[in-house]
Amino acid sequence: MKKAVGFDQKIQLHQLDLIANEISRMSSRDALYQLVDERLMADIGGTKSRANARTILFKIWFLVSDEHIGLRDRALALFQRGTSEERLVLHWGMCLLAYPFFKDTTEQLGYLFHLQDEVTSEQIGRKMKGLYGERRRVEVSVNAVLSSLRSWGVLELGKRNTHTRAVKINILSPEMKKWLVQVMLIVTGKTVIELNHLAGEPCIFPFELSVLESELYSDQLEITRQGIGRLMVGLK
């Protein structure tokens, strides 16, 4: 069975900001649908492309799976008082939850950036076709993710379709750290992650995540010790 792809349209930050801002203000799903569609007309002329973008935005922030509603609601509360950089963290986490293809693409980028300073579109394309098959849809979606990340300012385009990583964004808020760590545990499927290794998780390559044990105490996360001096975090 072929793995689902789905993320097939460039998404801009102001579009993500729009839906996250308006969810609590709209009286119904139809009202939110109409508002998003009208605003997207300024960015996207084609009806099909606009419908694709709208579908992605709704899947990221509105039509979330039942098990992620609590995380989404916490993200919305953090979003209202967050900085632009913190809002990007929240968008990123919600994309990871909504689209395994986005998670796998960013994870492969993270692996490659750990080994080298530049990554070509062809390299990441080969990696993703190895995971999802030699399909035109995979190529389109890789380009959609890469163009989105460039517009978000986390990738910079160089010569011959090479990409470099922008300066990492430092995550300072303890609440944001707890939220993102919970997301990471869910999307990676890991039972536990060592605290010292959180920053190295490839799917969050644009962010600097330095975490103290005291910052992760919550109703959702559990800290355990393995061996001498190894602190592990997992879901309760």
Side-chain angles (χ1 to χ4, degrees):
M1 184 176 178
K2 291 181 178 179
K3 296 169 71 174
V5 178
F7 199 110
D8 55 3
Q9 180 74 34
K10 176 183 176 181
I11 300 297
Q12 300 185 57
L13 279 180
H14 70 266
Q15 297 164 352
L16 289 162
D17 285 345
L18 168 67
I19 193 166
N21 265 320
E22 298 297 337
I23 284 175
S24 61
R25 303 179 190 177
M26 292 292 102
S27 57
S28 67
R29 173 179 171 176
D30 287 344
L32 181 62
Y33 186 96
Q34 183 175 350
L35 174 66
V36 170
D37 193 56
E38 289 173 354
R39 297 286 183 85
L40 285 175
M41 287 182 183
D43 300 322
I44 306 170
T47 302
K48 186 179 184 303
S49 295
R50 192 163 62 249
N52 290 347
R54 188 178 58 236
T55 297
I56 294 169
L57 293 170
F58 268 71
K59 185 172 175 61
I60 292 168
W61 274 107
F62 190 76
L63 300 175
V64 301
S65 58
D66 290 344
E67 65 266 33
H68 298 155
I69 287 176
L71 270 168
R72 190 276 310 273
D73 291 347
R74 281 168 55 203
L76 288 174
L78 290 168
F79 186 87
Q80 294 306 318
R81 58 179 185 270
T83 65
S84 59
E85 290 182 337
E86 289 171 339
R87 289 181 172 193
L88 174 56
V89 174
L90 296 168
H91 292 317
W92 192 275
M94 293 304 297
C95 287
L96 292 175
L97 289 168
Y99 282 101
F101 187 87
F102 180 92
K103 177 260 180 185
D104 289 339
T105 306
T106 56
E107 190 171 63
Q108 291 302 317
L109 282 167
Y111 284 131
L112 288 169
F113 279 128
H114 181 71
L115 300 172
Q116 57 201 60
D117 294 330
E118 296 181 338
V119 175
T120 67
S121 300
E122 290 74 18
Q123 278 181 300
I124 194 64
R126 286 196 301 271
K127 293 282 188 182
M128 294 308 294
K129 285 180 179 178
L131 293 173
Y132 284 80
E134 290 282 344
R135 291 182 278 162
R136 170 64 180 163
R137 187 171 179 81
V138 175
E139 184 178 337
V140 169
S141 293
V142 167
N143 289 333
V145 173
L146 290 176
S147 60
S148 298
L149 300 190
R150 291 195 299 268
S151 74
W152 300 356
V154 301
L155 287 183
E156 295 176 354
L157 184 62
K159 296 179 180 178
R160 295 183 293 278
N161 279 332
T162 60
H163 292 84
T164 56
R165 180 171 50 189
V167 176
K168 284 193 173 189
I169 296 168
N170 197 7
I171 302 173
L172 300 175
S173 162
E175 287 302 313
M176 197 75 66
K177 292 178 183 182
K178 282 185 276 198
W179 184 86
L180 185 59
V181 169
Q182 187 178 351
V183 169
M184 289 163 56
L185 284 162
I186 291 170
V187 301
T188 61
K190 294 181 178 179
T191 306
V192 293
I193 302 176
E194 188 170 350
L195 261 64
N196 289 339
H197 295 169
L198 286 170
E201 283 294 321
C203 66
I204 61 161
F205 74 87
F207 306 106
E208 191 69 54
L209 181 63
S210 178
V211 177
L212 299 175
E213 177 184 0
S214 59
E215 293 177 309
L216 291 185
Y217 288 119
S218 72
D219 294 334
Q220 294 81 29
L221 301 174
E222 182 175 38
I223 307 294
T224 57
R225 284 174 168 76
Q226 291 185 8
I228 300 174
R230 293 185 67 204
L231 291 174
M232 318 296 290
V233 59
L235 298 172
K236 285 186 177 179

mmCIF file of all heavy atoms in Angstrom, residues 8-48:
data_model
loop_
_atom_site.group_PDB
_atom_site.id
_atom_site.type_symbol
_atom_site.label_atom_id
_atom_site.label_comp_id
_atom_site.label_asym_id
_atom_site.label_seq_id
_atom_site.Cartn_x
_atom_site.Cartn_y
_atom_site.Cartn_z
ATOM 1 N N ASP A 8 0.937 19.055 -0.724
ATOM 2 C CA ASP A 8 1.295 19.234 -2.135
ATOM 3 C C ASP A 8 1.154 20.672 -2.623
ATOM 4 O O ASP A 8 1.047 20.918 -3.825
ATOM 5 C CB ASP A 8 0.446 18.311 -3.009
ATOM 6 C CG ASP A 8 -1.050 18.502 -2.786
ATOM 7 O OD1 ASP A 8 -1.437 19.394 -1.997
ATOM 8 O OD2 ASP A 8 -1.832 17.748 -3.398
ATOM 9 N N GLN A 9 1.159 21.623 -1.712
ATOM 10 C CA GLN A 9 1.006 23.030 -2.083
ATOM 11 C C GLN A 9 1.863 23.896 -1.159
ATOM 12 O O GLN A 9 1.927 23.639 0.040
ATOM 13 C CB GLN A 9 -0.470 23.450 -1.957
ATOM 14 C CG GLN A 9 -0.776 24.888 -2.323
ATOM 15 C CD GLN A 9 -0.733 25.118 -3.830
ATOM 16 O OE1 GLN A 9 -1.094 24.232 -4.601
ATOM 17 N NE2 GLN A 9 -0.293 26.285 -4.248
ATOM 18 N N LYS A 10 2.542 24.882 -1.727
ATOM 19 C CA LYS A 10 3.298 25.820 -0.892
ATOM 20 C C LYS A 10 2.357 26.525 0.079
ATOM 21 O O LYS A 10 1.312 27.048 -0.310
ATOM 22 C CB LYS A 10 4.004 26.857 -1.771
ATOM 23 C CG LYS A 10 4.739 27.928 -0.982
ATOM 24 C CD LYS A 10 5.347 28.968 -1.924
ATOM 25 C CE LYS A 10 6.011 30.092 -1.144
ATOM 26 N NZ LYS A 10 6.587 31.119 -2.056
ATOM 27 N N ILE A 11 2.752 26.532 1.353
ATOM 28 C CA ILE A 11 1.974 27.181 2.399
ATOM 29 C C ILE A 11 2.814 28.300 3.010
ATOM 30 O O ILE A 11 3.974 28.078 3.361
ATOM 31 C CB ILE A 11 1.566 26.174 3.493
ATOM 32 C CG1 ILE A 11 0.713 25.051 2.896
ATOM 33 C CG2 ILE A 11 0.819 26.876 4.622
ATOM 34 C CD1 ILE A 11 -0.606 25.497 2.302
ATOM 35 N N GLN A 12 2.244 29.477 3.131
ATOM 36 C CA GLN A 12 2.966 30.623 3.671
ATOM 37 C C GLN A 12 2.574 30.876 5.133
ATOM 38 O O GLN A 12 1.474 30.505 5.567
ATOM 39 C CB GLN A 12 2.679 31.860 2.829
ATOM 40 C CG GLN A 12 3.114 31.696 1.372
ATOM 41 C CD GLN A 12 2.941 32.957 0.565
ATOM 42 O OE1 GLN A 12 3.474 34.010 0.903
ATOM 43 N NE2 GLN A 12 2.175 32.870 -0.517
ATOM 44 N N LEU A 13 3.469 31.518 5.851
ATOM 45 C CA LEU A 13 3.233 31.721 7.277
ATOM 46 C C LEU A 13 1.997 32.561 7.560
ATOM 47 O O LEU A 13 1.252 32.283 8.504
ATOM 48 C CB LEU A 13 4.464 32.379 7.930
ATOM 49 C CG LEU A 13 5.631 31.456 8.293
ATOM 50 C CD1 LEU A 13 6.749 32.270 8.933
ATOM 51 C CD2 LEU A 13 5.186 30.338 9.220
ATOM 52 N N HIS A 14 1.748 33.582 6.750
ATOM 53 C CA HIS A 14 0.586 34.419 7.035
ATOM 54 C C HIS A 14 -0.716 33.643 6.814
ATOM 55 O O HIS A 14 -1.740 33.961 7.428
ATOM 56 C CB HIS A 14 0.612 35.716 6.213
ATOM 57 C CG HIS A 14 0.383 35.547 4.757
ATOM 58 N ND1 HIS A 14 1.409 35.416 3.849
ATOM 59 C CD2 HIS A 14 -0.765 35.479 4.021
ATOM 60 C CE1 HIS A 14 0.914 35.297 2.636
ATOM 61 N NE2 HIS A 14 -0.411 35.318 2.713
ATOM 62 N N GLN A 15 -0.675 32.616 5.974
ATOM 63 C CA GLN A 15 -1.848 31.763 5.798
ATOM 64 C C GLN A 15 -2.078 30.896 7.037
ATOM 65 O O GLN A 15 -3.216 30.721 7.497
ATOM 66 C CB GLN A 15 -1.668 30.891 4.560
ATOM 67 C CG GLN A 15 -1.572 31.690 3.265
ATOM 68 C CD GLN A 15 -1.017 30.883 2.105
ATOM 69 O OE1 GLN A 15 -0.547 29.753 2.282
ATOM 70 N NE2 GLN A 15 -1.056 31.453 0.901
ATOM 71 N N LEU A 16 -1.005 30.364 7.588
ATOM 72 C CA LEU A 16 -1.098 29.596 8.830
ATOM 73 C C LEU A 16 -1.537 30.491 9.985
ATOM 74 O O LEU A 16 -2.360 30.102 10.815
ATOM 75 C CB LEU A 16 0.248 28.942 9.138
ATOM 76 C CG LEU A 16 0.655 27.777 8.231
ATOM 77 C CD1 LEU A 16 2.146 27.513 8.338
ATOM 78 C CD2 LEU A 16 -0.136 26.526 8.566
ATOM 79 N N ASP A 17 -0.975 31.700 10.030
ATOM 80 C CA ASP A 17 -1.382 32.651 11.075
ATOM 81 C C ASP A 17 -2.876 32.946 10.994
ATOM 82 O O ASP A 17 -3.572 33.047 12.010
ATOM 83 C CB ASP A 17 -0.610 33.971 10.928
ATOM 84 C CG ASP A 17 0.831 33.879 11.401
ATOM 85 O OD1 ASP A 17 1.177 32.902 12.104
ATOM 86 O OD2 ASP A 17 1.622 34.781 11.065
ATOM 87 N N LEU A 18 -3.366 33.091 9.774
ATOM 88 C CA LEU A 18 -4.779 33.416 9.567
ATOM 89 C C LEU A 18 -5.683 32.368 10.197
ATOM 90 O O LEU A 18 -6.566 32.697 11.001
ATOM 91 C CB LEU A 18 -5.072 33.529 8.072
ATOM 92 C CG LEU A 18 -6.565 33.575 7.687
ATOM 93 C CD1 LEU A 18 -7.203 34.857 8.183
ATOM 94 C CD2 LEU A 18 -6.728 33.424 6.174
ATOM 95 N N ILE A 19 -5.478 31.097 9.845
ATOM 96 C CA ILE A 19 -6.398 30.079 10.350
ATOM 97 C C ILE A 19 -6.247 29.882 11.852
ATOM 98 O O ILE A 19 -7.237 29.696 12.571
ATOM 99 C CB ILE A 19 -6.239 28.747 9.575
ATOM 100 C CG1 ILE A 19 -7.416 27.822 9.903
ATOM 101 C CG2 ILE A 19 -4.892 28.091 9.834
ATOM 102 C CD1 ILE A 19 -7.548 26.629 8.963
ATOM 103 N N ALA A 20 -5.016 29.983 12.368
ATOM 104 C CA ALA A 20 -4.830 29.833 13.815
ATOM 105 C C ALA A 20 -5.483 30.981 14.578
ATOM 106 O O ALA A 20 -6.034 30.794 15.666
ATOM 107 C CB ALA A 20 -3.340 29.757 14.143
ATOM 108 N N ASN A 21 -5.443 32.174 14.001
ATOM 109 C CA ASN A 21 -6.063 33.339 14.635
ATOM 110 C C ASN A 21 -7.575 33.279 14.618
ATOM 111 O O ASN A 21 -8.242 33.743 15.546
ATOM 112 C CB ASN A 21 -5.611 34.626 13.933
ATOM 113 C CG ASN A 21 -4.429 35.280 14.607
ATOM 114 O OD1 ASN A 21 -4.344 35.326 15.829
ATOM 115 N ND2 ASN A 21 -3.507 35.793 13.811
ATOM 116 N N GLU A 22 -8.125 32.737 13.543
ATOM 117 C CA GLU A 22 -9.571 32.847 13.316
ATOM 118 C C GLU A 22 -10.388 31.674 13.844
ATOM 119 O O GLU A 22 -11.612 31.773 13.921
ATOM 120 C CB GLU A 22 -9.844 33.014 11.819
ATOM 121 C CG GLU A 22 -9.251 34.278 11.205
ATOM 122 C CD GLU A 22 -9.839 35.556 11.800
ATOM 123 O OE1 GLU A 22 -10.955 35.501 12.340
ATOM 124 O OE2 GLU A 22 -9.159 36.598 11.718
ATOM 125 N N ILE A 23 -9.751 30.577 14.212
ATOM 126 C CA ILE A 23 -10.509 29.408 14.657
ATOM 127 C C ILE A 23 -11.473 29.751 15.784
ATOM 128 O O ILE A 23 -12.653 29.387 15.756
ATOM 129 C CB ILE A 23 -9.548 28.278 15.091
ATOM 130 C CG1 ILE A 23 -8.943 27.608 13.853
ATOM 131 C CG2 ILE A 23 -10.266 27.232 15.940
ATOM 132 C CD1 ILE A 23 -7.904 26.561 14.165
ATOM 133 N N SER A 24 -10.986 30.464 16.800
ATOM 134 C CA SER A 24 -11.833 30.762 17.963
ATOM 135 C C SER A 24 -12.837 31.875 17.688
ATOM 136 O O SER A 24 -13.801 32.037 18.447
ATOM 137 C CB SER A 24 -10.954 31.150 19.154
ATOM 138 O OG SER A 24 -10.190 32.312 18.852
ATOM 139 N N ARG A 25 -12.650 32.625 16.604
ATOM 140 C CA ARG A 25 -13.531 33.762 16.319
ATOM 141 C C ARG A 25 -14.697 33.394 15.414
ATOM 142 O O ARG A 25 -15.719 34.082 15.423
ATOM 143 C CB ARG A 25 -12.729 34.889 15.656
ATOM 144 C CG ARG A 25 -11.543 35.367 16.476
ATOM 145 C CD ARG A 25 -10.788 36.454 15.733
ATOM 146 N NE ARG A 25 -9.528 36.772 16.363
ATOM 147 C CZ ARG A 25 -8.651 37.641 15.902
ATOM 148 N NH1 ARG A 25 -8.908 38.279 14.758
ATOM 149 N NH2 ARG A 25 -7.517 37.878 16.535
ATOM 150 N N MET A 26 -14.550 32.342 14.636
ATOM 151 C CA MET A 26 -15.585 31.985 13.676
ATOM 152 C C MET A 26 -16.705 31.199 14.349
ATOM 153 O O MET A 26 -16.465 30.364 15.219
ATOM 154 C CB MET A 26 -14.990 31.160 12.541
ATOM 155 C CG MET A 26 -14.047 31.927 11.631
ATOM 156 S SD MET A 26 -14.856 33.208 10.621
ATOM 157 C CE MET A 26 -14.415 34.690 11.532
ATOM 158 N N SER A 27 -17.903 31.449 13.905
ATOM 159 C CA SER A 27 -19.070 30.806 14.517
ATOM 160 C C SER A 27 -19.269 29.379 14.045
ATOM 161 O O SER A 27 -19.954 28.586 14.702
ATOM 162 C CB SER A 27 -20.338 31.623 14.196
ATOM 163 O OG SER A 27 -20.501 31.749 12.786
ATOM 164 N N SER A 28 -18.703 29.024 12.901
ATOM 165 C CA SER A 28 -18.903 27.685 12.356
ATOM 166 C C SER A 28 -17.759 27.318 11.426
ATOM 167 O O SER A 28 -16.978 28.173 10.997
ATOM 168 C CB SER A 28 -20.222 27.616 11.579
ATOM 169 O OG SER A 28 -20.146 28.426 10.409
ATOM 170 N N ARG A 29 -17.699 26.021 11.103
ATOM 171 C CA ARG A 29 -16.700 25.549 10.143
ATOM 172 C C ARG A 29 -16.905 26.209 8.785
ATOM 173 O O ARG A 29 -15.943 26.588 8.116
ATOM 174 C CB ARG A 29 -16.789 24.035 10.030
ATOM 175 C CG ARG A 29 -15.922 23.436 8.941
ATOM 176 C CD ARG A 29 -16.065 21.933 8.924
ATOM 177 N NE ARG A 29 -15.409 21.344 7.760
ATOM 178 C CZ ARG A 29 -15.309 20.034 7.537
ATOM 179 N NH1 ARG A 29 -15.817 19.188 8.416
ATOM 180 N NH2 ARG A 29 -14.715 19.572 6.462
ATOM 181 N N ASP A 30 -18.160 26.356 8.369
ATOM 182 C CA ASP A 30 -18.449 26.963 7.064
ATOM 183 C C ASP A 30 -17.973 28.414 7.006
ATOM 184 O O ASP A 30 -17.460 28.865 5.973
ATOM 185 C CB ASP A 30 -19.948 26.903 6.773
ATOM 186 C CG ASP A 30 -20.411 25.496 6.438
ATOM 187 O OD1 ASP A 30 -19.548 24.642 6.131
ATOM 188 O OD2 ASP A 30 -21.628 25.245 6.490
ATOM 189 N N ALA A 31 -18.147 29.144 8.113
ATOM 190 C CA ALA A 31 -17.707 30.539 8.146
ATOM 191 C C ALA A 31 -16.189 30.626 8.037
ATOM 192 O O ALA A 31 -15.652 31.491 7.331
ATOM 193 C CB ALA A 31 -18.199 31.210 9.426
ATOM 194 N N LEU A 32 -15.501 29.730 8.733
ATOM 195 C CA LEU A 32 -14.042 29.705 8.661
ATOM 196 C C LEU A 32 -13.597 29.312 7.257
ATOM 197 O O LEU A 32 -12.667 29.905 6.701
ATOM 198 C CB LEU A 32 -13.481 28.725 9.695
ATOM 199 C CG LEU A 32 -11.960 28.590 9.761
ATOM 200 C CD1 LEU A 32 -11.311 29.915 10.140
ATOM 201 C CD2 LEU A 32 -11.564 27.496 10.759
ATOM 202 N N TYR A 33 -14.262 28.347 6.686
ATOM 203 C CA TYR A 33 -13.966 27.887 5.321
ATOM 204 C C TYR A 33 -14.075 29.047 4.334
ATOM 205 O O TYR A 33 -13.184 29.257 3.507
ATOM 206 C CB TYR A 33 -14.951 26.778 4.967
ATOM 207 C CG TYR A 33 -14.714 26.091 3.653
ATOM 208 C CD1 TYR A 33 -14.005 24.893 3.588
ATOM 209 C CD2 TYR A 33 -15.224 26.614 2.463
ATOM 210 C CE1 TYR A 33 -13.793 24.249 2.377
ATOM 211 C CE2 TYR A 33 -15.017 25.970 1.252
ATOM 212 C CZ TYR A 33 -14.302 24.796 1.212
ATOM 213 O OH TYR A 33 -14.090 24.161 0.018
ATOM 214 N N GLN A 34 -15.154 29.794 4.412
ATOM 215 C CA GLN A 34 -15.372 30.896 3.490
ATOM 216 C C GLN A 34 -14.329 31.990 3.674
ATOM 217 O O GLN A 34 -13.799 32.534 2.696
ATOM 218 C CB GLN A 34 -16.775 31.479 3.678
ATOM 219 C CG GLN A 34 -17.105 32.601 2.700
ATOM 220 C CD GLN A 34 -18.539 33.079 2.836
ATOM 221 O OE1 GLN A 34 -19.349 32.469 3.520
ATOM 222 N NE2 GLN A 34 -18.852 34.200 2.182
ATOM 223 N N LEU A 35 -14.001 32.310 4.927
ATOM 224 C CA LEU A 35 -13.017 33.356 5.194
ATOM 225 C C LEU A 35 -11.642 32.967 4.647
ATOM 226 O O LEU A 35 -10.984 33.771 3.976
ATOM 227 C CB LEU A 35 -12.918 33.609 6.698
ATOM 228 C CG LEU A 35 -11.819 34.588 7.130
ATOM 229 C CD1 LEU A 35 -12.115 35.986 6.614
ATOM 230 C CD2 LEU A 35 -11.645 34.591 8.647
ATOM 231 N N VAL A 36 -11.221 31.753 4.927
ATOM 232 C CA VAL A 36 -9.916 31.298 4.455
ATOM 233 C C VAL A 36 -9.869 31.301 2.931
ATOM 234 O O VAL A 36 -8.884 31.737 2.320
ATOM 235 C CB VAL A 36 -9.591 29.898 5.016
ATOM 236 C CG1 VAL A 36 -8.345 29.318 4.345
ATOM 237 C CG2 VAL A 36 -9.387 29.968 6.528
ATOM 238 N N ASP A 37 -10.938 30.825 2.301
ATOM 239 C CA ASP A 37 -10.985 30.793 0.845
ATOM 240 C C ASP A 37 -10.861 32.194 0.257
ATOM 241 O O ASP A 37 -10.124 32.421 -0.713
ATOM 242 C CB ASP A 37 -12.287 30.146 0.388
ATOM 243 C CG ASP A 37 -12.265 29.804 -1.099
ATOM 244 O OD1 ASP A 37 -11.343 29.085 -1.514
ATOM 245 O OD2 ASP A 37 -13.151 30.274 -1.836
ATOM 246 N N GLU A 38 -11.561 33.154 0.852
ATOM 247 C CA GLU A 38 -11.510 34.536 0.356
ATOM 248 C C GLU A 38 -10.111 35.122 0.511
ATOM 249 O O GLU A 38 -9.609 35.794 -0.399
ATOM 250 C CB GLU A 38 -12.525 35.391 1.112
ATOM 251 C CG GLU A 38 -13.980 35.082 0.765
ATOM 252 C CD GLU A 38 -14.956 35.838 1.649
ATOM 253 O OE1 GLU A 38 -14.497 36.512 2.608
ATOM 254 O OE2 GLU A 38 -16.163 35.742 1.392
ATOM 255 N N ARG A 39 -9.473 34.878 1.650
ATOM 256 C CA ARG A 39 -8.139 35.437 1.889
ATOM 257 C C ARG A 39 -7.092 34.789 0.984
ATOM 258 O O ARG A 39 -6.125 35.438 0.580
ATOM 259 C CB ARG A 39 -7.756 35.246 3.356
ATOM 260 C CG ARG A 39 -8.656 35.974 4.336
ATOM 261 C CD ARG A 39 -8.430 37.477 4.357
ATOM 262 N NE ARG A 39 -9.254 38.130 5.345
ATOM 263 C CZ ARG A 39 -8.930 38.245 6.633
ATOM 264 N NH1 ARG A 39 -7.776 37.745 7.081
ATOM 265 N NH2 ARG A 39 -9.743 38.858 7.475
ATOM 266 N N LEU A 40 -7.269 33.504 0.691
ATOM 267 C CA LEU A 40 -6.303 32.815 -0.163
ATOM 268 C C LEU A 40 -6.314 33.329 -1.599
ATOM 269 O O LEU A 40 -5.336 33.161 -2.330
ATOM 270 C CB LEU A 40 -6.571 31.306 -0.169
ATOM 271 C CG LEU A 40 -6.161 30.537 1.086
ATOM 272 C CD1 LEU A 40 -6.594 29.082 0.973
ATOM 273 C CD2 LEU A 40 -4.663 30.621 1.337
ATOM 274 N N MET A 41 -7.402 33.953 -2.001
ATOM 275 C CA MET A 41 -7.483 34.475 -3.369
ATOM 276 C C MET A 41 -6.398 35.510 -3.647
ATOM 277 O O MET A 41 -5.962 35.665 -4.787
ATOM 278 C CB MET A 41 -8.866 35.088 -3.611
ATOM 279 C CG MET A 41 -9.968 34.074 -3.755
ATOM 280 S SD MET A 41 -11.569 34.868 -4.093
ATOM 281 C CE MET A 41 -12.652 33.433 -4.113
ATOM 282 N N ALA A 42 -5.960 36.206 -2.617
ATOM 283 C CA ALA A 42 -4.902 37.202 -2.790
ATOM 284 C C ALA A 42 -3.555 36.553 -3.107
ATOM 285 O O ALA A 42 -2.676 37.189 -3.700
ATOM 286 C CB ALA A 42 -4.788 38.064 -1.539
ATOM 287 N N ASP A 43 -3.385 35.284 -2.705
ATOM 288 C CA ASP A 43 -2.108 34.585 -2.892
ATOM 289 C C ASP A 43 -2.137 33.596 -4.042
ATOM 290 O O ASP A 43 -1.125 33.386 -4.711
ATOM 291 C CB ASP A 43 -1.734 33.810 -1.618
ATOM 292 C CG ASP A 43 -1.593 34.701 -0.397
ATOM 293 O OD1 ASP A 43 -1.082 35.822 -0.549
ATOM 294 O OD2 ASP A 43 -1.994 34.269 0.695
ATOM 295 N N ILE A 44 -3.289 32.950 -4.255
ATOM 296 C CA ILE A 44 -3.363 31.812 -5.167
ATOM 297 C C ILE A 44 -4.515 32.027 -6.146
ATOM 298 O O ILE A 44 -5.681 32.091 -5.745
ATOM 299 C CB ILE A 44 -3.577 30.491 -4.397
ATOM 300 C CG1 ILE A 44 -2.495 30.320 -3.317
ATOM 301 C CG2 ILE A 44 -3.561 29.305 -5.342
ATOM 302 C CD1 ILE A 44 -2.765 29.178 -2.354
ATOM 303 N N GLY A 45 -4.183 32.126 -7.420
ATOM 304 C CA GLY A 45 -5.215 32.395 -8.425
ATOM 305 C C GLY A 45 -6.008 31.169 -8.842
ATOM 306 O O GLY A 45 -7.218 31.232 -9.031
ATOM 307 N N GLY A 46 -5.327 30.037 -8.981
ATOM 308 C CA GLY A 46 -5.985 28.837 -9.473
ATOM 309 C C GLY A 46 -6.927 28.219 -8.461
ATOM 310 O O GLY A 46 -6.585 28.105 -7.278
ATOM 311 N N THR A 47 -8.095 27.806 -8.909
ATOM 312 C CA THR A 47 -9.095 27.231 -8.007
ATOM 313 C C THR A 47 -8.603 25.942 -7.359
ATOM 314 O O THR A 47 -8.762 25.739 -6.147
ATOM 315 C CB THR A 47 -10.406 26.946 -8.785
ATOM 316 O OG1 THR A 47 -10.869 28.164 -9.365
ATOM 317 C CG2 THR A 47 -11.469 26.391 -7.859
ATOM 318 N N LYS A 48 -7.995 25.060 -8.154
ATOM 319 C CA LYS A 48 -7.517 23.788 -7.603
ATOM 320 C C LYS A 48 -6.377 24.005 -6.609
ATOM 321 O O LYS A 48 -6.359 23.391 -5.529
ATOM 322 C CB LYS A 48 -7.052 22.860 -8.726
ATOM 323 C CG LYS A 48 -6.669 21.464 -8.227
ATOM 324 C CD LYS A 48 -6.246 20.561 -9.367
ATOM 325 C CE LYS A 48 -5.971 19.138 -8.858
ATOM 326 N NZ LYS A 48 -4.940 19.114 -7.803
#
